[in-house]
Amino acid sequence: IIMANVQGVDKIQDSLGYLVLTEEGAVISSGGDLQNAEALADRLTKLVYTASRIPVSPDRRETFHKISVIWEQFMYVITVSNHRIYVCKRPYNPQDPAVA
Amino acid sequence: MERQLEKHLEETCRVPGISGALCADNNGLCLAARGCKPELAGHVASIAQQAAQLHPNSSTTPVICIESEGGSVLIKSENDVTMAIRGNSWVALKPLCMRRLSAIKRAMGYTTHLSNSLSSLF
């Protein structure tokens, strides 16, 4: 049952960690760098709710399908599906690094 | 200062694929907007702060990319200025967002050693 909830997010290649959360931010499953990261889960849930209020496209009915939060060497990739929030921590290796 | 900021946003929105840009301060006050509703400034500033709180000890602030089928929004903050750019492809947007944010910081008189909140002037 636990593995069914994870939906393969734990098997993503080069994943450094993962979280699977309920809509309210409760941790269903976690692993790697994000094992038991409840405080992070709470902050990520709030971020997801804020992001849902930002219109991404001219179609107001359309909501986001992915959020990426990118630092210099790693990133969180977040998606929502079937009333679950899936978070994957992955290394960030830009092919064309952005220079400010 | 506002004219320079507007000019930077106009130049940003002239880039093919960009449909809007917005600048906000860290209190959610809209400094300038082009192709975006100024009311979004609060959400933009809020999400930038929430993302920075994920790793508060980090020396840099993250880039937030919100993607959908119809487009992407990139958000980045530095020195109390948060910028959001809306367009087609986040891969193309990211370096543009970084360059524009630097230009806007210079236009507003920010240096790496000085950090003031504009909203404190109001």
Side-chain angles (χ1 to χ4, degrees), chain B residues 1 10 28 33 42 46 68 73 84 91 96-97 105 111 122:
Chain B
M1 183 192 290
E10 273 178 39
S46 179
S68 73
V73 172
V91 176
L96 174 70
C97 187
K105 277 165 52 185
T111 66
F122 293 87

Side-chain angles (χ1 to χ4, degrees), chain A residues 40 43-44 46-48 50-51 53-58 60 62-72 74-76 89 92 94 96-100, chain B residues 37 40 43-44 46-47 50-56 58 60-73 75 78 86 90 94-95 98-99 102:
Chain A
L40 187 70
R43 292 180 201 140
L44 284 165
K46 288 180 179 144
L47 187 147
V48 167
T50 306
R53 305 182 74 153
I54 296 176
V56 188
S57 73
R60 298 183 69 150
E62 189 175 13
T63 55
F64 68 86
H65 63 67
K66 184 167 79 171
I67 303 169
S68 306
V69 186
I70 306 163
W71 282 267
E72 288 181 343
F74 68 94
M75 60 183 179
Y76 294 127
K89 181 180 179 183
Y92 176 61
D96 180 17
V99 178
Chain B
K37 291 182 180 176
L40 292 174
H43 295 309
V44 167
S46 179
I47 199 171
Q50 288 170 345
Q53 283 302 310
L54 296 177
H55 288 281
S58 174
T60 58
T61 52
V63 175
I64 304 111
C65 177
I66 308 170
E67 298 174 63
S68 73
E69 290 296 329
S72 302
V73 172
I75 299 168
E78 261 187 56
R86 185 162 69 189
W90 84 268
K94 186 165 183 286
M98 303 293 282
R99 287 196 301 271
S102 289

